[in-house]
Amino acid sequence: KVMANPPTKDMILYIQKGHFAPWPEDGSGEEYEAGIKLRREKIIGKNEFIKAYYPSGHAWGADNTEFVEAYVLDSMDDLDDMLKRNGELFDEFTDEEKALDEKMWKYFTGKHGDYIYTYIHM
């Protein structure tokens, strides 16, 4: 989800910074891409509280394991609602989709940080 136009009001920017694990021996690019696509289409793309979503990977520098996801939301209340809705959308996964999602954890360390900013409209 990308915003078509710049925001016309103050909004919330929720940042989650995670870390990639060393590439697993039983991992594959196809499996990783399928898992990312699943979450993007079936959770992020369907969550009406997410106004925009910007995933970014750290390409150069001291820590190329960083994976940053930025979510643009209307309000702090929408942050709680987004998280609840993400769970509801996950519950709609088929058993096969849940199995693929479970496999995705091997690509990440589980270490992460959450950051909340105010996007100030100017």
Side-chain angles (χ1 to χ4, degrees):
K1 288 183 171 182
V2 176
M3 295 185 87
N5 297 304
T8 58
K9 62 182 179 178
D10 291 356
M11 298 182 86
I12 297 299
L13 184 62
Y14 167 62
I15 305 287
Q16 187 174 69
K17 180 172 69 170
H19 293 271
F20 292 114
W23 195 260
E25 287 185 27
D26 64 339
S28 72
E30 294 81 17
E31 178 181 72
Y32 173 79
E33 290 296 326
I36 293 295
K37 181 180 177 184
L38 174 68
R39 283 193 155 259
R40 187 178 59 237
E41 290 179 358
K42 298 254 180 144
I43 294 181
I44 295 163
K46 290 185 176 184
N47 190 322
E48 63 273 18
F49 297 103
I50 300 172
K51 303 306 176 193
Y53 170 73
Y54 303 97
S56 302
H58 195 275
W60 298 279
D63 187 357
N64 65 354
T65 69
E66 286 184 351
F67 180 67
V68 178
E69 297 173 282
Y71 300 82
V72 179
L73 310 161
D74 279 329
S75 68
M76 285 297 293
D77 286 340
D78 282 358
L79 177 57
D80 287 333
D81 292 338
M82 175 199 76
L83 296 170
K84 180 181 176 188
R85 183 73 175 126
N86 281 352
E88 293 168 355
L89 291 165
F90 176 79
D91 288 343
E92 294 175 8
F93 278 13
T94 65
D95 289 343
E96 182 180 320
E97 290 168 334
K98 286 180 181 177
L100 174 59
D101 190 74
E102 181 66 30
K103 288 179 184 179
M104 288 303 296
W105 288 106
K106 67 184 170 191
Y107 297 97
F108 298 93
T109 64
K111 176 184 169 188
H112 80 279
D114 298 297
Y115 309 88
I116 302 171
Y117 299 90
T118 300
Y119 179 93
I120 301 173
H121 166 258
M122 296 191 163

